[in-house]
Amino acid sequence: MFLLTTFIKKGDHFPAKDLLVYDTTHEAVSDLYIHACIDLVPTGAVDGCFIDRPLDGAPGKNISIAKQLDLQTSHLTTLQTFQQLLKRGPLLANHAYSMPGVNAVQIESFEADEASIATLQWSATRGKLAEAHVSLRAGYKACETDEGIQNYLAAFLVGAGEYSYFGCGRWFSNETDVSTQWKASYDKPLGPPEGRAVKTGTVYTRKFSSGTEVQFDVSTNKGTIKWAQSFDP
């Protein structure tokens, strides 16, 4: 039913011993994996599910190469079946940019740089819902002010698609009031983009129907956002 794995990095947030993972080559285990989350969706409490580290591969401890390959195949099939049962509900799988048959992806470490912009654009052009979460390299302090998030938010707006979402902050919090995490920038007028970002030299520029204009210079990884004063869609 389960296999031991040693491929997950150990640290403060992980147990000292190996972790158990689902052996999805067994149909009953695959069903258990899916229904651990999907049974909550009809309640209305959630509209989708999040899959962490779906691309980390099969565990390499005490199993054959053939078994590893079977696990990789069955894991993908399980996620695709999961998505089919969710229908249009998001199955958010981090780093799974190219995973076929799964409609959402998390960019777990979104940076204020051209590589992250390209990743977001790539996901958006394929119709995937994309959650861009600011890299922890920025430090949580960067998420506490509008000034701190500006370069990251500018990079996000340059690459964002219709189903793209921006997040900055801790993975978990004891805060019960979401307003402590909400920034004034998130309420600024935006509207649909007038088109894809245009790159001139090292600078991306993108305009939105509200009049908001974003620029991001990939030579310095600095961005500016000229917010419109108001917007009547």
Side-chain angles (χ1 to χ4, degrees):
M1 294 288 283
F2 295 94
L3 295 168
L4 284 174
T5 178
T6 56
F7 65 78
I8 295 180
K9 178 182 177 182
K10 296 185 179 71
D12 293 340
H13 302 296
F14 298 101
K17 296 182 178 180
D18 294 329
L19 302 179
L20 292 173
V21 297
Y22 291 88
D23 183 351
T24 51
T25 59
H26 298 283
E27 184 177 354
V29 177
S30 177
D31 288 343
L32 178 65
Y33 181 91
I34 291 171
H35 287 280
C37 177
I38 204 170
D39 288 347
L40 297 174
V41 176
T43 68
V46 296
D47 63 359
C49 299
F50 177 82
I51 305 297
D52 199 12
R53 323 240 355 193
L55 299 181
D56 280 344
K61 184 173 183 178
N62 300 324
I63 62 173
S64 67
I65 293 177
K67 180 66 173 181
Q68 291 182 46
L69 293 175
D70 285 345
L71 277 167
Q72 290 172 356
T73 300
S74 66
H75 183 59
L76 176 58
T77 301
T78 295
L79 293 180
Q80 290 171 336
T81 300
F82 202 153
Q83 182 66 77
Q84 291 169 7
L85 292 171
L86 273 173
K87 299 179 181 178
R88 288 183 58 82
L91 181 59
L92 193 65
N94 71 334
H95 302 166
Y97 312 116
S98 302
M99 183 175 285
V102 175
N103 71 358
V105 62
Q106 182 195 52
I107 305 173
E108 185 174 7
S109 298
F110 187 82
E111 304 281 0
D113 62 22
E114 191 167 26
S116 287
I117 290 172
T119 299
L120 182 57
Q121 289 175 326
W122 195 92
S123 299
T125 56
R126 283 153 182 79
K128 283 183 178 278
L129 182 154
E131 179 201 348
H133 187 275
V134 171
S135 169
L136 297 185
R137 295 188 187 94
Y140 293 125
K141 289 290 185 183
C143 300
E144 293 179 355
T145 65
D146 287 277
E147 293 76 13
I149 67 171
Q150 178 169 288
N151 294 329
Y152 300 93
L153 187 56
F156 169 79
L157 291 175
V158 163
E162 183 177 1
Y163 304 108
S164 299
Y165 297 85
F166 178 82
C168 189
R170 298 179 182 273
W171 294 119
F172 58 90
S173 174
N174 293 327
E175 299 285 352
T176 57
D177 185 357
V178 71
S179 67
T180 62
Q181 305 293 326
W182 196 259
K183 301 295 170 287
S185 296
Y186 302 159
D187 291 319
K188 297 288 187 179
L190 190 63
E194 294 183 355
R196 289 174 60 87
V198 176
K199 187 180 181 184
T200 304
T202 62
V203 178
Y204 281 98
T205 300
R206 196 178 196 189
K207 297 180 179 180
F208 294 81
S209 59
S210 64
T212 291
E213 182 176 320
V214 181
Q215 289 190 329
F216 188 85
D217 189 335
V218 298
S219 68
T220 61
N221 290 337
K222 303 293 185 183
T224 58
I225 306 173
K226 298 177 182 177
W227 294 107
Q229 296 302 306
S230 62
F231 177 51
D232 183 5

